[in-house]
Amino acid sequence: MQDDFELRVHTIIGAIPFGRVATYGQIAKLAGQANYARKVGYILKSLPKESNLPWYRVINSQGKISFPAQTSKFIEQKERLESEGVIFLSNRVRLKEFQWLD
DNA sequence: TTATTGACACCTT
DNA sequence: TAAGGTGCCAATA
């Protein structure tokens, strides 16, 4: 049950194309569990660093990173996305342009 | 078992 | 675009 959802989430995140981002709700929905955004976040939290999953491509519905600005993780995620061509404006991403399957 | 918390989303203003 | 309030589910204390 849970493991299956986790597996789906992992698979979906791994399926996010280069230079694209997805929201928590979108991930949850694609995993077959709408409104499970929070669980998605929990899974990402427990995501081992061994996994090569592009967790940094997962952002919230506002197109923003869920970390406080200036934190190492925030900067790391932002840098990674920018490296893929994702444009940030005021610590925000143009979901209209970069959201996966939009 | 109830209350609290969390890398949140969605709707309304 | 920003801000506030509401709903959702699971893990933890």
Side-chain angles (χ1 to χ4, degrees), chain A residues 3 7 39 65:
Chain A
D3 298 330
L7 181 61
K39 202 160 74 166
I65 298 175

Side-chain angles (χ1 to χ4, degrees), chain A residues 2-94:
Chain A
Q2 303 176 312
D3 298 330
D4 186 47
F5 180 72
E6 290 184 24
L7 181 61
R8 289 174 183 274
V9 171
H10 288 193
T11 302
I12 292 168
I13 293 175
I16 300 175
F18 182 92
R20 293 280 178 166
V21 297
T23 65
Y24 290 94
Q26 189 174 12
I27 298 293
K29 191 169 185 175
L30 289 171
Q33 294 293 333
N35 300 356
Y36 270 53
R38 291 181 123 150
K39 202 160 74 166
V40 174
Y42 202 85
I43 293 172
L44 265 53
K45 181 190 64 176
S46 301
L47 200 64
K49 57 185 178 182
E50 284 80 30
S51 67
N52 281 330
L53 294 178
W55 57 269
Y56 49 85
R57 288 176 181 157
V58 182
I59 57 180
N60 63 19
S61 63
Q62 297 183 348
K64 294 190 295 188
I65 298 175
S66 301
F67 293 116
Q70 305 308 325
T71 62
S72 61
K73 287 188 175 182
F74 177 93
I75 296 172
E76 188 74 18
Q77 185 168 8
K78 185 173 182 295
E79 291 298 319
R80 286 179 180 275
L81 291 176
E82 288 182 331
S83 296
E84 299 191 351
V86 178
I87 305 301
F88 274 82
L89 292 178
S90 301
N91 295 331
R92 186 169 306 180
V93 178
R94 297 184 192 177

